[in-house]
Short mmCIF file of all heavy atoms in Angstrom, two decimals:
data_model
loop_
_atom_site.label_atom_id
_atom_site.label_comp_id
_atom_site.label_asym_id
_atom_site.label_seq_id
_atom_site.Cartn_x
_atom_site.Cartn_y
_atom_site.Cartn_z
N GLY A 1 -7.97 -11.78 2.75
CA GLY A 1 -6.93 -12.54 2.08
C GLY A 1 -6.58 -11.92 0.74
O GLY A 1 -7.47 -11.62 -0.05
N LEU A 2 -5.30 -11.73 0.49
CA LEU A 2 -4.81 -11.22 -0.79
C LEU A 2 -4.06 -12.36 -1.46
O LEU A 2 -3.01 -12.79 -0.98
CB LEU A 2 -3.90 -10.01 -0.58
CG LEU A 2 -3.28 -9.38 -1.83
CD1 LEU A 2 -4.36 -8.84 -2.76
CD2 LEU A 2 -2.31 -8.26 -1.44
N VAL A 3 -4.61 -12.86 -2.57
CA VAL A 3 -4.06 -14.07 -3.19
C VAL A 3 -3.67 -13.80 -4.64
O VAL A 3 -4.16 -12.87 -5.28
CB VAL A 3 -5.07 -15.24 -3.13
CG1 VAL A 3 -5.46 -15.56 -1.70
CG2 VAL A 3 -6.31 -14.94 -3.96
N GLY A 4 -2.80 -14.65 -5.12
CA GLY A 4 -2.32 -14.56 -6.49
C GLY A 4 -1.01 -15.29 -6.60
O GLY A 4 -0.35 -15.57 -5.60
N GLU A 5 -0.61 -15.60 -7.84
CA GLU A 5 0.62 -16.35 -8.04
C GLU A 5 1.84 -15.50 -7.74
O GLU A 5 1.77 -14.27 -7.66
CB GLU A 5 0.67 -16.89 -9.47
CG GLU A 5 0.67 -15.82 -10.53
CD GLU A 5 0.47 -16.40 -11.92
OE1 GLU A 5 0.47 -17.63 -12.05
OE2 GLU A 5 0.33 -15.61 -12.88
N THR A 6 2.98 -16.15 -7.58
CA THR A 6 4.23 -15.46 -7.30
C THR A 6 4.53 -14.44 -8.39
O THR A 6 4.42 -14.74 -9.58
CB THR A 6 5.38 -16.48 -7.21
OG1 THR A 6 5.10 -17.41 -6.17
CG2 THR A 6 6.71 -15.78 -6.92
N GLY A 7 4.90 -13.22 -7.98
CA GLY A 7 5.25 -12.18 -8.93
C GLY A 7 4.10 -11.32 -9.39
O GLY A 7 4.29 -10.44 -10.23
N CYS A 8 2.91 -11.52 -8.82
CA CYS A 8 1.74 -10.75 -9.27
C CYS A 8 1.66 -9.37 -8.63
O CYS A 8 0.83 -8.55 -9.03
CB CYS A 8 0.45 -11.53 -9.02
SG CYS A 8 -0.01 -11.64 -7.28
N GLY A 9 2.49 -9.07 -7.63
CA GLY A 9 2.49 -7.75 -7.02
C GLY A 9 1.94 -7.70 -5.61
O GLY A 9 1.79 -6.61 -5.05
N LYS A 10 1.67 -8.85 -5.00
CA LYS A 10 1.06 -8.87 -3.66
C LYS A 10 1.94 -8.19 -2.62
O LYS A 10 1.47 -7.34 -1.85
CB LYS A 10 0.77 -10.32 -3.22
CG LYS A 10 -0.10 -11.13 -4.13
CD LYS A 10 -0.45 -12.48 -3.54
CE LYS A 10 0.74 -13.35 -3.21
NZ LYS A 10 1.52 -13.76 -4.41
N THR A 11 3.20 -8.58 -2.57
CA THR A 11 4.09 -8.03 -1.55
C THR A 11 4.36 -6.54 -1.80
O THR A 11 4.43 -5.76 -0.85
CB THR A 11 5.41 -8.81 -1.51
OG1 THR A 11 5.13 -10.16 -1.08
CG2 THR A 11 6.39 -8.20 -0.53
N THR A 12 4.48 -6.15 -3.05
CA THR A 12 4.67 -4.73 -3.36
C THR A 12 3.47 -3.93 -2.88
O THR A 12 3.63 -2.85 -2.28
CB THR A 12 4.87 -4.53 -4.87
OG1 THR A 12 6.02 -5.25 -5.30
CG2 THR A 12 5.07 -3.05 -5.19
N LEU A 13 2.27 -4.44 -3.10
CA LEU A 13 1.07 -3.75 -2.63
C LEU A 13 1.08 -3.65 -1.10
O LEU A 13 0.76 -2.59 -0.54
CB LEU A 13 -0.19 -4.50 -3.10
CG LEU A 13 -1.53 -3.95 -2.58
CD1 LEU A 13 -1.72 -2.49 -2.97
CD2 LEU A 13 -2.68 -4.81 -3.08
N ALA A 14 1.47 -4.72 -0.43
CA ALA A 14 1.54 -4.69 1.04
C ALA A 14 2.53 -3.64 1.52
O ALA A 14 2.25 -2.91 2.47
CB ALA A 14 1.91 -6.07 1.58
N HIS A 15 3.67 -3.54 0.86
CA HIS A 15 4.68 -2.55 1.25
C HIS A 15 4.17 -1.12 1.01
O HIS A 15 4.52 -0.21 1.76
CB HIS A 15 5.97 -2.80 0.49
CG HIS A 15 6.72 -4.00 0.96
ND1 HIS A 15 7.88 -4.45 0.38
CD2 HIS A 15 6.46 -4.87 1.97
CE1 HIS A 15 8.32 -5.52 1.01
NE2 HIS A 15 7.46 -5.80 1.98
N LEU A 16 3.35 -0.94 0.00
CA LEU A 16 2.75 0.37 -0.21
C LEU A 16 1.76 0.69 0.91
O LEU A 16 1.75 1.81 1.44
CB LEU A 16 2.02 0.40 -1.56
CG LEU A 16 2.90 0.36 -2.81
CD1 LEU A 16 2.03 0.19 -4.05
CD2 LEU A 16 3.75 1.61 -2.94
N LEU A 17 0.94 -0.28 1.27
CA LEU A 17 -0.06 -0.06 2.33
C LEU A 17 0.61 0.20 3.67
O LEU A 17 0.08 0.96 4.50
CB LEU A 17 -0.99 -1.27 2.43
CG LEU A 17 -1.86 -1.55 1.20
CD1 LEU A 17 -2.66 -2.84 1.39
CD2 LEU A 17 -2.81 -0.39 0.92
N LEU A 18 1.75 -0.43 3.91
CA LEU A 18 2.51 -0.21 5.14
C LEU A 18 3.39 1.03 5.06
O LEU A 18 4.03 1.40 6.03
CB LEU A 18 3.38 -1.43 5.44
CG LEU A 18 2.65 -2.70 5.86
CD1 LEU A 18 3.59 -3.90 5.78
CD2 LEU A 18 2.09 -2.57 7.26
N GLN A 19 3.43 1.63 3.88
CA GLN A 19 4.26 2.81 3.60
C GLN A 19 5.74 2.55 3.80
O GLN A 19 6.50 3.39 4.27
CB GLN A 19 3.76 4.03 4.39
CG GLN A 19 2.38 4.48 3.90
CD GLN A 19 1.83 5.66 4.64
OE1 GLN A 19 1.10 5.49 5.61
NE2 GLN A 19 2.17 6.86 4.18
N LEU A 20 6.14 1.33 3.43
CA LEU A 20 7.55 0.98 3.32
C LEU A 20 8.07 1.36 1.94
O LEU A 20 9.28 1.44 1.73
CB LEU A 20 7.75 -0.52 3.58
CG LEU A 20 7.30 -1.01 4.95
CD1 LEU A 20 7.43 -2.53 5.05
CD2 LEU A 20 8.08 -0.33 6.06
N LEU A 21 7.14 1.54 0.99
CA LEU A 21 7.43 2.05 -0.34
C LEU A 21 6.52 3.24 -0.61
O LEU A 21 5.39 3.29 -0.10
CB LEU A 21 7.18 0.98 -1.41
CG LEU A 21 8.15 -0.18 -1.56
CD1 LEU A 21 7.61 -1.17 -2.58
CD2 LEU A 21 9.54 0.30 -1.95
N GLU A 22 6.98 4.17 -1.43
CA GLU A 22 6.14 5.29 -1.83
C GLU A 22 5.47 4.96 -3.16
O GLU A 22 6.13 4.46 -4.08
CB GLU A 22 6.97 6.57 -1.99
CG GLU A 22 7.47 7.13 -0.68
CD GLU A 22 8.05 8.53 -0.85
OE1 GLU A 22 7.84 9.12 -1.93
OE2 GLU A 22 8.70 9.00 0.09
N PRO A 23 4.17 5.22 -3.28
CA PRO A 23 3.50 4.95 -4.55
C PRO A 23 3.92 5.92 -5.64
O PRO A 23 4.26 7.08 -5.34
CB PRO A 23 2.02 5.11 -4.20
CG PRO A 23 2.01 6.06 -3.04
CD PRO A 23 3.26 5.77 -2.26
N THR A 24 3.90 5.46 -6.88
CA THR A 24 4.12 6.36 -8.00
C THR A 24 2.96 7.33 -8.12
O THR A 24 3.14 8.52 -8.41
CB THR A 24 4.28 5.55 -9.30
OG1 THR A 24 5.36 4.61 -9.14
CG2 THR A 24 4.57 6.45 -10.49
N SER A 25 1.76 6.83 -7.87
CA SER A 25 0.58 7.67 -7.81
C SER A 25 -0.49 6.94 -7.00
O SER A 25 -0.36 5.75 -6.69
CB SER A 25 0.05 7.99 -9.22
OG SER A 25 -0.34 6.80 -9.90
N GLY A 26 -1.55 7.66 -6.66
CA GLY A 26 -2.62 7.07 -5.87
C GLY A 26 -2.64 7.61 -4.45
O GLY A 26 -1.78 8.41 -4.06
N THR A 27 -3.63 7.14 -3.68
CA THR A 27 -3.87 7.68 -2.34
C THR A 27 -4.00 6.55 -1.33
O THR A 27 -4.62 5.52 -1.62
CB THR A 27 -5.16 8.52 -2.33
OG1 THR A 27 -5.05 9.55 -3.31
CG2 THR A 27 -5.40 9.16 -0.96
N ILE A 28 -3.44 6.76 -0.14
CA ILE A 28 -3.61 5.83 0.98
C ILE A 28 -4.27 6.60 2.12
O ILE A 28 -3.79 7.68 2.51
CB ILE A 28 -2.26 5.26 1.45
CG1 ILE A 28 -1.57 4.50 0.32
CG2 ILE A 28 -2.45 4.35 2.67
CD1 ILE A 28 -0.15 4.11 0.62
N ARG A 29 -5.37 6.07 2.62
CA ARG A 29 -6.06 6.69 3.76
C ARG A 29 -6.05 5.72 4.93
O ARG A 29 -6.29 4.53 4.76
CB ARG A 29 -7.50 7.05 3.40
CG ARG A 29 -7.63 8.11 2.32
CD ARG A 29 -9.08 8.54 2.14
NE ARG A 29 -9.23 9.52 1.08
CZ ARG A 29 -9.41 9.21 -0.21
NH1 ARG A 29 -9.49 7.94 -0.57
NH2 ARG A 29 -9.52 10.16 -1.11
N TYR A 30 -5.81 6.26 6.11
CA TYR A 30 -5.84 5.47 7.34
C TYR A 30 -6.84 6.12 8.28
O TYR A 30 -6.68 7.28 8.66
CB TYR A 30 -4.45 5.42 7.98
CG TYR A 30 -4.40 4.56 9.22
CD1 TYR A 30 -4.47 3.18 9.14
CD2 TYR A 30 -4.29 5.14 10.48
CE1 TYR A 30 -4.43 2.39 10.26
CE2 TYR A 30 -4.24 4.35 11.62
CZ TYR A 30 -4.32 2.98 11.52
OH TYR A 30 -4.28 2.20 12.64
N ARG A 31 -7.91 5.39 8.59
CA ARG A 31 -9.01 5.88 9.43
C ARG A 31 -9.54 7.22 8.89
O ARG A 31 -9.82 8.15 9.62
CB ARG A 31 -8.55 6.00 10.88
CG ARG A 31 -8.03 4.70 11.46
CD ARG A 31 -7.54 4.86 12.87
NE ARG A 31 -8.65 5.05 13.80
CZ ARG A 31 -8.50 5.35 15.09
NH1 ARG A 31 -7.29 5.53 15.59
NH2 ARG A 31 -9.55 5.50 15.86
N GLY A 32 -9.65 7.27 7.57
CA GLY A 32 -10.22 8.43 6.91
C GLY A 32 -9.25 9.54 6.59
O GLY A 32 -9.58 10.47 5.85
N GLU A 33 -8.02 9.47 7.11
CA GLU A 33 -7.03 10.53 6.90
C GLU A 33 -6.11 10.16 5.74
O GLU A 33 -5.60 9.04 5.64
CB GLU A 33 -6.19 10.70 8.17
CG GLU A 33 -5.04 11.69 8.03
CD GLU A 33 -4.08 11.65 9.20
OE1 GLU A 33 -4.34 10.91 10.17
OE2 GLU A 33 -3.05 12.35 9.12
N ASP A 34 -5.89 11.11 4.84
CA ASP A 34 -4.94 10.91 3.74
C ASP A 34 -3.53 10.93 4.32
O ASP A 34 -3.04 11.96 4.80
CB ASP A 34 -5.11 12.02 2.71
CG ASP A 34 -4.23 11.81 1.47
OD1 ASP A 34 -3.31 10.97 1.53
OD2 ASP A 34 -4.47 12.48 0.45
N VAL A 35 -2.87 9.77 4.30
CA VAL A 35 -1.52 9.66 4.88
C VAL A 35 -0.48 9.36 3.81
O VAL A 35 0.65 8.97 4.14
CB VAL A 35 -1.50 8.57 5.98
CG1 VAL A 35 -2.41 8.93 7.14
CG2 VAL A 35 -1.87 7.19 5.40
N THR A 36 -0.84 9.55 2.55
CA THR A 36 0.05 9.17 1.45
C THR A 36 1.43 9.80 1.59
O THR A 36 2.45 9.14 1.37
CB THR A 36 -0.56 9.59 0.10
OG1 THR A 36 -1.93 9.17 0.05
CG2 THR A 36 0.19 8.96 -1.06
N GLY A 37 1.47 11.06 1.96
CA GLY A 37 2.75 11.75 2.06
C GLY A 37 3.27 11.91 3.46
O GLY A 37 4.11 12.78 3.72
#
């Protein structure tokens, strides 16, 4: 569960994890593979 008040960044984080948005920086790994780019 990812919780927090409205506007705290929950949906933006979800969109980054789903790669619907590109991160400004940082890394996303899926099953051990770097899939950020």
Side-chain angles (χ1 to χ4, degrees):
L2 179 61
V3 302
E5 61 190 353
T6 300
C8 72
K10 302 186 302 295
T11 295
T12 301
L13 176 58
H15 287 177
L16 291 172
L17 296 175
L18 290 166
Q19 293 180 267
L20 300 175
L21 286 174
E22 289 191 12
T24 303
S25 62
T27 304
I28 300 170
R29 295 187 182 88
Y30 183 72
R31 303 178 72 187
E33 175 191 356
D34 185 346
V35 297
T36 312

